[in-house]
Amino acid sequence: MGTILRDISLVWTLLHCCFMFMLLYESRYTARKTNILTCIFMVPLIIINMMIVIFLGTEKAGHLVVFACVLPSLIFFLIMARNRDTRFLFTFCLVDTVILEVLFSSNILDTVLGLGHYLVMFLFRLISFPLLELCLVKYLRQPYQLLQQQMKKGWGVFSIMAMLFYAVMLLSTYHPFIITERPEYYPHLILLLILIPVMYMTVFKLLWTQLQLFNAAEKNRILDMQVKMTSERLTASAESEKRLQVLRHDMRHKMLLLNDYIRNENYAAVEQYINSMMADIAQTAPQIYCNNHSVNVVLSYYSKIADEQGITFSASVCLPAALKINQTDLAVVLSNGLENAINAQACCDDKKVLIKGFIEAGKICLEIKNPFSGSVAFDGALPCSKQEHHGFGTKSMAAIIEKYDGIYSFSVDNGYFCFRCIM
């Protein structure tokens, strides 16, 4: 009877271990399917581990925990995970290490206070896990998932560190026998319990700094692009204004010439001259693709670049002046897509960029297609580039679309590379 609180607290711990991991990792399945599959697998696993504790004792259970709990849950969540790489491994070690921190902190407190019947252990675990999960949801979950989405590389070293601390924690607490029977080693364990959170905080700080540097570089790139587009737009406007000034200056002379043609009934010359004047006027008018100013600026800028490179630029866009999303975000998505489409055709014979944009069911739908040469490598859903300082554009596009709960796809179809999104 004296172990009832210990056993209840152990079940509580295993349930929260599963729940905390599900808060941090990204499943490849829907939330409903993930929850069902997790319950089907983890509930029997928890029952098996509880039976080991009841019949073999906590020390023997500690020796078997890697084979009875850690490895089965690792394999299961690896199958379920969207990211099957060092990001997943780091997350798994992080959660298990936090669980061990709570387990042995409660063990030490229970032993030191010596109230008996595991009351301190039970209360400590009962309160600690909900508080940890509250802090996790409020402060850590969103930035941590953002880190994993934006930074897909560079987790290897941190994963090795996490595994080593996890192994040290297990070995120091269960071998040669459980730590509660070796109170003289409590100071060592307490130092380890302090060191591990400090290590994780340092890792998160480094990762967050890297993400901030990445975002700053991306913002600078976007700013440079906006400055270039604005400069091109101003140059085009200045050229149009100069042509208008010339037209206004020459208008009186042209009207006199037209009057002479009419007086002499030379109507063929009148028609030809009027057509020539209309063509001159058309050259002074800026290209208008749709009612949205930001989209027009982007399309006009890349239309000029495409024309300079001999690329046919075909845009069928129907977007209103006012949109539900930030217009700068839309301009960034469109600019990155067009820049990639133009750059991909350096070695193509038939060069063209095809753009479609429209509103459907209140959502912005975009499509950019272009022929390409060679092959396209993908890293998950995103195309990747082996060239230095390339590949950030597609990540930026994906991040913006996900910001508005949109969907996107990059695909290859019949010799065309195609980007589509709804947001």
Side-chain angles (χ1 to χ4, degrees):
M1 291 296 292
T3 60
I4 290 177
L5 291 180
R6 181 203 66 186
D7 296 341
I8 293 174
S9 70
L10 185 57
V11 173
W12 180 256
T13 298
L14 292 172
L15 287 172
H16 281 277
C17 178
C18 180
F19 182 64
M20 289 175 68
F21 187 77
M22 290 178 69
L23 286 174
L24 289 180
Y25 96 117
E26 289 188 77
S27 173
R28 62 176 56 244
Y29 304 112
T30 63
R32 183 173 180 272
K33 188 174 182 179
T34 299
N35 293 335
I36 292 172
L37 292 175
T38 302
C39 289
I40 291 172
F41 183 84
M42 291 303 297
V43 170
L45 188 65
I46 291 173
I47 293 172
I48 290 170
N49 279 271
M50 282 306 305
M51 299 300 290
I52 292 174
V53 171
I54 292 171
F55 290 106
L56 299 180
T58 54
E59 184 173 348
K60 189 65 175 177
H63 292 153
L64 296 174
V65 68
V66 172
F67 304 100
C69 186
V70 175
L71 287 179
S73 58
L74 174 65
I75 294 170
F76 170 74
F77 283 117
L78 182 61
I79 294 171
M80 296 282 289
R82 175 178 295 174
N83 305 316
R84 299 176 179 178
D85 50 24
T86 49
R87 289 173 290 175
F88 168 83
L89 189 58
F90 180 84
T91 304
F92 187 86
C93 293
L94 167 65
V95 172
D96 273 18
T97 307
V98 170
I99 295 299
L100 290 177
E101 286 263 337
V102 176
L103 280 177
F104 290 104
S105 297
S106 61
N107 277 339
I108 292 173
L109 278 175
D110 192 81
T111 303
V112 171
L113 295 176
L115 297 180
H117 301 294
Y118 303 102
L119 180 62
V120 174
M121 175 192 294
F122 175 77
L123 293 175
F124 187 88
R125 295 178 184 178
L126 184 68
I127 297 169
S128 296
F129 287 117
L131 286 176
L132 279 172
E133 285 154 6
L134 179 64
C135 293
L136 188 151
V137 171
K138 191 172 182 180
Y139 300 110
L140 181 62
R141 186 187 186 194
Q142 186 174 357
Y144 182 72
Q145 290 184 340
L146 181 62
L147 276 172
Q148 291 204 322
Q149 291 169 3
Q150 296 285 349
M151 300 182 59
K152 298 183 179 180
K153 297 181 180 179
W155 292 82
V157 174
F158 299 128
S159 299
I160 293 171
M161 291 173 60
M163 283 191 296
L164 289 174
F165 274 103
Y166 185 34
V168 168
M169 178 76 82
L170 284 175
L171 288 172
S172 61
T173 50
Y174 285 114
H175 296 278
F177 45 88
I178 195 165
I179 191 71
T180 52
E181 297 181 13
R182 294 176 286 144
E184 68 274 16
Y185 288 99
Y186 279 177
H188 303 78
L189 180 59
I190 291 170
L191 287 175
L192 186 60
L193 293 175
I194 295 171
L195 176 62
I196 289 176
V198 171
M199 183 275 292
Y200 275 114
M201 285 189 286
T202 304
V203 168
F204 284 130
K205 187 175 180 180
L206 286 171
L207 288 171
W208 189 253
T209 301
Q210 286 184 355
L211 180 62
Q212 296 298 99
L213 290 173
F214 166 78
N215 288 336
E218 182 64 13
K219 286 178 181 178
N220 285 335
R221 197 178 74 85
I222 292 168
L223 184 61
D224 288 342
M225 181 177 62
Q226 290 174 336
V227 169
K228 287 180 181 178
M229 286 192 297
T230 303
S231 177
E232 290 284 342
R233 191 71 172 180
L234 290 172
T235 301
S237 297
E239 290 174 356
S240 297
E241 180 64 26
K242 287 180 180 178
R243 286 195 291 268
L244 280 172
Q245 288 175 356
V246 172
L247 281 174
R248 285 194 295 267
H249 179 268
D250 294 343
M251 188 60 68
R252 185 170 62 86
H253 304 292
K254 291 181 178 182
M255 290 298 101
L256 289 173
L257 184 59
L258 275 173
N259 185 54
D260 182 67
Y261 286 154
I262 294 170
R263 189 170 54 251
N264 294 315
E265 297 183 356
N266 189 356
Y267 299 118
V270 170
E271 183 180 3
Q272 184 179 359
Y273 199 73
I274 289 175
N275 289 335
S276 174
M277 290 176 61
M278 290 176 65
D280 290 340
I281 292 172
Q283 289 181 359
T284 66
Q287 181 71 46
I288 302 298
Y289 294 94
C290 66
N291 294 328
N292 188 277
H293 175 71
S294 297
V295 172
N296 278 327
V297 170
V298 173
L299 292 175
S300 297
Y301 174 70
Y302 283 100
S303 173
K304 184 175 180 181
I305 292 177
D307 185 60
E308 291 171 353
Q309 298 185 23
I311 298 173
T312 302
F313 192 88
S314 176
S316 174
V317 180
C318 184
L319 294 175
L323 297 170
K324 293 181 180 179
I325 72 171
N326 185 289
Q327 303 223 19
T328 301
D329 287 342
L330 176 60
V332 170
V333 171
L334 187 58
S335 298
N336 279 314
L338 292 173
E339 183 178 12
N340 292 339
I342 290 172
N343 291 339
Q345 299 184 67
C347 300
C348 291
D349 296 326
D350 182 23
K351 299 182 178 183
K352 64 180 69 173
V353 177
L354 309 174
I355 308 105
K356 291 182 181 179
F358 53 92
I359 300 290
E360 185 171 314
K363 297 284 188 178
I364 299 172
C365 303
L366 288 178
E367 179 186 82
I368 302 173
K369 294 177 67 175
N370 62 273
F372 67 97
S373 60
S375 60
V376 180
F378 285 85
D379 181 8
L382 299 179
C384 58
S385 173
K386 295 182 180 180
Q387 299 180 35
E388 189 178 0
H389 305 306
H390 285 260
F392 295 115
T394 52
K395 292 179 182 177
S396 177
M397 294 163 71
I400 290 172
I401 296 166
E402 289 170 355
K403 171 183 171 183
Y404 295 100
D405 296 323
I407 56 175
Y408 63 87
S409 70
F410 296 89
S411 61
V412 175
D413 184 23
N414 294 326
Y416 279 82
F417 183 83
C418 183
F419 161 71
R420 295 184 179 96
C421 75
I422 300 174
M423 60 179 172

